[in-house]
Amino acid sequence: MRRNGFAIVALVLGLAAAAETARADEAAWSALRAGGHVALMRHADAPGGVGDPPGFRVDDCTTQRNLSAKGRADAKRIGARLKSEGIAVEKILASPWCRCMDTATLLELGPVEAAPTFGNVVVLRDQTEALTTGARAMIGKWTGRGNLLVVTHGANILALTDISPASGEIVVVRGGNAGGVEPVGRLLLD
């Protein structure tokens, strides 16, 4: 009898988690369809741990962690899904790291602009406060009719939203909110 009780509790908790994920997904899709929001996307799959190898250089992709074949395919698929959902992306910014620039480019949603304020806060830990303040300011100023898409690092999104996203996951936040970064929902498009 005790095992059945645990199974029922596990089932109920699993169903509750699935319902919460569905609500977060729908809230994110609704916000992006309305426009005026910011989509913070963690770069697609780039194996090799956290940060970059010793001696890496931002201007030399051969010295960095880069997208895997899966990451490249995922980025293309995510871009196609956003297009098929009719999401208006007005501007695309990306961390200057190659895995972020490549993810943003492979989405095929428009021109990509490097935005140093979204640079890797793990590697640039001595600049975390300044980078996060700059990122909050950019998000707070976004008042476009379409959406701002930012491809950055998981640690940056965590610092901004208290959400630790998976590779390729999108955390949607309100644009034009000078009071802070307010998450609306999440999308894990696998």
Side-chain angles (χ1 to χ4, degrees):
M1 181 70 170
R2 187 174 166 115
R3 282 175 56 167
N4 287 341
F6 285 127
I8 291 170
V9 169
L11 177 63
V12 169
L13 290 175
L15 291 173
E20 181 63 29
T21 299
R23 280 192 294 277
D25 283 1
E26 189 46 46
W29 284 120
S30 293
L32 291 175
R33 286 184 189 109
H37 286 79
V38 179
L40 299 171
M41 179 180 180
R42 181 178 177 188
H43 61 77
D45 184 60
V50 176
D52 286 283
F56 89 97
R57 293 192 332 267
V58 172
D59 63 344
D60 183 354
C61 294
T62 65
T63 66
Q64 300 177 33
R65 282 179 38 229
N66 290 294
L67 297 180
S68 64
K70 176 188 182 319
R72 296 179 74 72
D74 287 348
K76 289 179 182 181
R77 189 180 33 71
I78 292 166
R81 175 75 187 276
L82 291 169
K83 283 181 198 173
S84 75
E85 294 287 342
I87 303 305
V89 175
E90 191 170 318
K91 185 172 186 175
I92 304 171
L93 300 176
S95 161
W97 267 249
C98 296
R99 58 188 170 270
C100 294
M101 293 294 291
D102 290 348
T103 297
T105 301
L106 289 165
L107 294 170
E108 297 181 347
L109 296 172
V112 178
E113 180 182 326
T117 197
F118 290 100
N120 192 333
V121 297
V122 170
V123 175
L124 303 173
R125 65 179 122 308
D126 59 326
Q127 300 174 43
T128 298
E129 187 174 327
L131 293 171
T132 303
T133 298
R136 278 192 184 103
M138 283 185 136
I139 292 165
K141 290 178 186 172
W142 182 255
T143 57
R145 290 178 50 128
N147 298 293
L148 170 63
L149 173 63
V150 177
V151 180
T152 187
H153 309 269
N156 294 59
I157 296 170
L158 177 63
L160 290 165
T161 66
D162 290 328
I163 296 170
S164 182
S167 294
E169 186 173 359
I170 298 170
V171 177
V172 179
V173 301
R174 294 191 196 292
N177 183 6
V181 178
E182 182 184 347
V184 174
R186 302 167 70 166
L187 296 171
L188 186 56
L189 306 175
D190 51 14

